[in-house]
Amino acid sequence: MSTVSGDTSAPEPQAFVERRWLLPSAVVKELDPDGERPGRRPRRTARDWVVDFSCFLLAVLIGLTAADSMRQENLPEPLTAVDQLLGALACGAVWLRRRWPLGLAVAMIPVSLVSSTSAGAGLVAIFTLAVHRPFRYVAWVSGIALAVTPVFYWFRPDPDIPYGWVIFLSAVMTGAVVGWGMFVRSKRQLMLSLRDRARRAETEARLRAEQAQRLAREAIAREMHDVLAHRLTLLSVHAGALEFRPDAPREEIARAAGVIRESAHDALQDLREIIGVLRAGDRDDASRPQPTLGALEALVAESREAGMKVTLDHRVTDPAAVPASVGRTAYRVAQEGLTNARKHAPGTEVTVSVTGAPGEGLVVRVRNPAPDREAPHVPGSGQGLIGLTERATLTGGTLEHGTTPNGGFEVRAWLPWE
């Protein structure tokens, strides 16, 4: 039986396991292909036994009716015995209709030319063929069966019904059996297609959930990098100053220790909030640290306290008018630029400029000259810029970064501002 194949990895529902005895064995095989051994035909279900016995009983009843009408034909005794023997064999062959539906239907055509008691078995064979095989096989077999019917009744006319009516009734009965079989087949295919659609929907829903989890994890990872990298860089700078200047004045040591304490506290607070987002799946993005463009001056002041030389050129008169998503991205660009300058170009003067207006877009630049000495290599360099590029692209903007002609480094981002 041709059916639509689907994903068989999904577990079968409990209702299918409990009611599989109500389904045909061919449908059970399609719905649960792993339930049977490969290479073996599916075993009959309880429904199959009931249907097969009903078909056998119907074929026997039609055969007995035909045998009773043979008494009025005055046929020779040997021909009557052959007719009834072939009819009995045809009725017995009904039990093989599921294994060889096409072969049984084809074999019943020559048998029906000789035996009238096999008429019931022939109808059952055509019905089985219509259920289990495509329409092209049904059309050929039923067409040949209808073509030989006039020949049979020409040599063995019915004593009670005129010749024309017999041909007409035979054609109507054959068409009804074919239509019934095709209806059963279409109903099975519809059930299997709905089953396949449900499995595909479950698979797609599972893939969408996995993709959403992956995107959420990537967003949280970028957030952790953006937030914690800045704090930890401040810790590294001041800890390095205390290490190389143990003889510094007490005031400078106290100030550096205060910055270390505050940066560690802020880093722990940010980490606590991000972990809270991971633990509470029903919390929204508002629970995460989401600074906007208005917090840019505080970021620059924090970097200056860490000993950096930062020049801020802020030409946006109303930072609150900038959309929240654009403002967050601009803040992250400036934060990542300051972090990179602190790691790769320590001691240089960093310039942060923000310009733009509604309708023109927002431009954020962070640039620094070439360092006086070569900075040590930092593991994982470049990951922050990759995340910023993706962040800017999702916002609808662009981000460019690279070295300047004088050997420095510049990060430039353009963000849409409707």
Side-chain angles (χ1 to χ4, degrees), residues 29-305:
K29 181 181 179 180
E30 294 292 339
L31 294 180
D32 187 17
D34 297 332
E36 300 288 343
R37 293 182 179 178
R40 298 183 59 182
R41 66 184 188 89
R43 293 177 297 180
R44 285 189 177 95
T45 61
R47 177 188 180 279
D48 289 343
W49 284 104
V50 173
V51 173
D52 289 348
F53 182 77
S54 300
C55 291
F56 172 75
L57 185 62
L58 177 63
V60 171
L61 291 177
I62 295 177
L64 292 177
T65 303
D68 183 68
S69 64
M70 287 174 58
R71 299 176 181 177
Q72 304 178 10
E73 298 184 30
N74 298 322
L75 295 175
E77 193 69 22
L79 183 58
T80 302
V82 171
D83 190 314
Q84 295 178 356
L85 177 61
L86 291 176
L89 294 176
C91 292
V94 168
W95 290 100
L96 304 177
R97 67 189 187 93
R98 297 182 184 273
R99 180 177 296 184
W100 298 299
L102 180 60
L104 179 62
V106 172
M108 291 305 301
I109 294 177
V111 172
S112 62
L113 280 173
V114 181
S115 173
S116 62
T117 54
S118 64
L123 292 177
V124 173
I126 293 178
F127 170 76
T128 305
L129 183 65
V131 172
H132 292 275
R133 291 295 181 267
F135 177 72
R136 61 181 182 273
Y137 298 104
V138 182
W140 278 103
V141 174
S142 60
I144 296 175
L146 289 176
V148 301
T149 299
V151 178
F152 174 82
Y153 284 106
W154 178 265
F155 290 101
R156 297 180 59 178
D158 192 286
D160 299 326
I161 305 176
Y163 178 76
W165 278 104
V166 170
I167 302 302
F168 175 76
L169 292 177
S170 299
V172 170
M173 186 171 296
T174 302
V177 170
V178 170
W180 184 21
M182 294 181 62
F183 170 75
V184 174
R185 175 180 171 80
S186 64
K187 186 177 179 181
R188 291 184 181 183
Q189 289 182 327
L190 176 61
M191 180 175 61
L192 293 175
S193 64
L194 293 177
R195 183 76 176 183
D196 178 73
R197 186 180 302 176
R199 284 177 172 173
R200 291 180 183 271
E202 292 175 0
T203 304
E204 292 176 359
R206 185 167 60 252
L207 292 177
R208 285 195 298 268
E210 293 176 357
Q211 183 180 11
Q213 290 179 353
R214 185 175 65 255
L215 293 177
R217 290 172 181 174
E218 292 176 356
I220 293 174
R222 289 194 299 267
E223 196 72 27
M224 292 181 67
H225 177 274
D226 295 338
V227 173
L228 297 181
H230 180 72
R231 308 290 187 190
L232 297 179
T233 305
L234 293 178
L235 290 175
S236 176
V237 170
H238 285 277
L242 293 179
E243 180 182 2
F244 289 103
R245 290 289 305 277
D247 56 343
R250 295 177 58 88
E251 293 78 7
E252 293 185 7
I253 295 177
R255 184 174 62 86
V259 174
I260 292 175
R261 179 183 57 80
E262 292 178 0
S263 299
H265 179 270
D266 294 339
L268 289 175
Q269 182 66 24
D270 294 339
L271 183 61
R272 187 179 298 111
E273 293 179 359
I274 294 174
I275 293 177
V277 174
L278 289 173
R279 290 179 177 175
D282 54 348
R283 296 175 63 183
D284 54 9
D285 292 340
S287 61
R288 302 181 189 176
Q290 297 291 342
T292 58
L293 191 60
L296 185 58
E297 295 182 358
L299 175 67
V300 172
E302 188 180 47
S303 299
R304 288 171 179 169
E305 291 181 359

Side-chain angles (χ1 to χ4, degrees), residues 321-336:
V322 180
S325 60
V326 176
R328 283 195 298 268
T329 304
Y331 179 90
R332 295 305 183 197
V333 170
Q335 185 183 50
E336 182 64 23

